Amino acid sequence: MGFIPFEMERWQSTHEHRVRYNLSESGVHPLTVGELLSFDGGPGDLLPLRLGYSQSNGTDELRALIASLHPGASDRSVVVTTGGAEANFVAFWELAGAGGPAAVMLPNYMQVPGLIRNLGGAFKPFRLREEAGWRPDLDQLAAGLADGAGFILVTNPNNPTGVALTPAEMDDIVSLADRHGAWILADEVYRGAEVGDDPVASFWGRYDKVLVTNSLSKAYGLPGLRLGWVVGPDEIVERLWARTDYTTIAPSSVSDALATVALSPGVRPAILARTRRIIRRNLRALAEWVETQDGLFGFTPPDAGAICMVRYRASAASAELAERLRAEHGVLVVPGSHFGVEGAIRIGFGLPAEELAQALEELGSFFATADSA
């Protein structure tokens, strides 16, 4: 069987550091090491840190901090990974071992669906209905579970739309999972980056067959640490830890130390407050810009994360337009086709305000004449 590339990540990995304006990123403008340590009251002193192998499932202190964010969890309920990508991978690897297809929310971050396809598996889609504001089609989910799906994949808040499930929708998903004995794999990487005042609810604690993945990349503005985690039942997490022996073996000791600072009680709220300030300010700017574009664009406002799926008024395919936009204007967006949604692009709006304004100006200029080229 041939290899199926991860389209979005290939696109970003190839181009994101070679454009003037990166609107493909789904997090906020990253913190520097100095900015992170300043939240802790000073520059800190990492110089004595010995660069050996760190505790391979994450240091006890870091796992305890992560567990404290999940009521009822302990440090044994947590395995620390090299980024959210490894967290998703080992969780999928564990759940796929039971056999059968997965029930996959679409559109979605396509890592796990891509892994399923590359390994010769199948999945049963349940779609977010755009016409209803990206609400889930739970009848499709019920059909997929009745057809043998062994686990449900959700990204909540969603990537690429930024829309979050309601607590009632989450309860319905849990009820369906429980009825069929299915697991839930919940990627919650955008929790903490809410637009509104109320936090997005977690699947943790709603059901006993849940694996929750997260990382410091999106809500925390620390993607360069490559630090993620899985929270789940203790005995399952023990097996996930064993699976990391085949992947990265251990997280970076420096990343573990900086993550411990980031998630400490005195620092974490300040980081998330910064993230929400950026998202709220920039989302207002994006919405105001869309209003000035004479109907060229439309979108459903996100509930969390610095991302949204934007419909455009042009006849060309999204991949073609994204390539022209990159080559001619130095602006990188993600084609909607990478998520199975044509006629749309995913815009990340977590840039510094002035940079975002310049990028949107280029975007508007391009789409105003896109059909005449």
Side-chain angles (χ1 to χ4, degrees):
M1 176 175 291
F3 171 67
I4 303 168
F6 190 167
E7 284 186 305
M8 188 196 78
E9 291 295 349
R10 272 295 81 221
W11 173 252
Q12 289 183 287
S13 296
T14 302
H15 300 301
E16 64 184 336
H17 294 292
R18 296 184 172 92
V19 291
R20 285 190 296 161
Y21 304 112
N22 182 14
L23 293 178
S24 74
E25 176 53 57
S26 62
V28 297
H29 191 56
L31 289 160
T32 67
V33 173
E35 287 169 334
L36 169 59
L37 294 177
S38 73
F39 285 122
D40 199 31
D45 188 3
L46 293 177
L47 294 181
L49 180 65
R50 196 168 297 279
L51 297 178
Y53 287 109
S54 183
Q55 171 65 27
S56 65
N57 62 337
T59 57
D60 294 348
E61 183 179 2
L62 177 57
R63 286 184 291 108
L65 286 169
I66 294 168
S68 71
L69 306 177
H70 301 81
S74 72
D75 59 351
R76 294 186 59 236
S77 312
V78 179
V79 60
V80 175
T81 60
T82 302
E86 187 182 28
N88 288 334
F89 179 83
V90 296
F92 156 72
W93 191 6
E94 172 71 23
L95 296 180
V104 174
M105 172 189 283
L106 292 178
N108 209 325
Y109 183 66
M110 296 302 287
Q111 178 195 8
V112 170
L115 286 168
I116 292 171
R117 293 173 63 203
N118 271 296
L119 296 174
F123 58 83
K124 306 289 184 180
F126 70 101
R127 301 189 182 277
L128 302 177
R129 294 179 288 113
E130 184 178 5
E131 70 278 6
W134 300 110
R135 305 315 331 157
D137 188 330
L138 296 180
D139 290 336
Q140 286 186 334
L141 174 57
L145 290 167
D147 212 19
F151 75 92
I152 303 167
L153 173 69
V154 299
T155 299
N156 186 51
N158 179 250
N159 181 0
T161 68
V163 174
L165 296 168
T166 66
E169 289 166 342
M170 296 173 71
D171 288 342
D172 288 341
I173 290 170
V174 165
S175 178
L176 286 168
D178 188 37
R179 187 181 310 165
H180 293 274
W183 281 81
I184 296 173
L185 173 52
D187 181 340
E188 297 184 348
V189 73
Y190 296 100
R191 286 189 69 236
E194 290 85 1
V195 174
D197 294 330
D198 295 332
V200 171
S202 174
F203 273 97
W204 177 259
R206 292 178 121 82
Y207 182 48
D208 58 350
K209 291 185 174 182
V210 171
L211 296 177
V212 169
T213 63
N214 209 324
S215 83
L216 295 182
S217 296
K218 308 305 180 185
Y220 295 90
L222 296 167
L225 291 187
R226 306 308 305 134
L227 197 294
W229 59 84
V230 188
V231 183
D234 294 0
E235 68 278 8
I236 302 298
V237 166
E238 186 85 13
R239 298 209 294 265
L240 300 185
W241 179 14
R243 291 183 186 274
T244 68
D245 294 342
Y246 282 105
T247 53
T248 61
I249 301 176
S252 155
S253 55
V254 175
S255 294
D256 191 298
L258 290 173
T260 301
V261 173
L263 293 178
S264 63
V267 173
R268 179 175 178 270
I271 292 177
L272 295 183
R274 170 192 181 265
T275 295
R276 291 169 184 149
R277 283 195 302 271
I278 293 171
I279 288 173
R280 292 164 185 174
R281 178 196 67 206
N282 287 7
L283 180 57
R284 285 194 299 271
L286 175 62
E288 290 168 1
W289 173 81
V290 167
E291 288 295 317
T292 69
Q293 297 302 302
D294 298 323
L296 281 176
F297 306 100
F299 73 104
T300 299
D303 297 309
I307 50 171
C308 59
M309 187 66 96
V310 175
R311 284 285 178 189
Y312 59 77
R313 192 184 68 198
S315 59
S318 59
E320 175 192 336
L321 290 173
E323 171 55 25
R324 286 173 49 198
L325 183 61
R326 180 199 67 80
E328 298 168 17
H329 290 256
V331 178
L332 194 67
V333 298
V334 181
S337 60
H338 288 183
F339 304 98
V341 180
E342 196 46 88
I345 55 176
R346 192 192 74 178
I347 290 179
F349 54 86
L351 285 68
E354 183 177 345
E355 196 173 327
L356 176 64
Q358 293 167 348
L360 292 177
E361 183 177 346
E362 293 287 342
L363 193 67
S365 173
F366 171 78
F367 272 96
T369 59
D371 274 338
S372 62

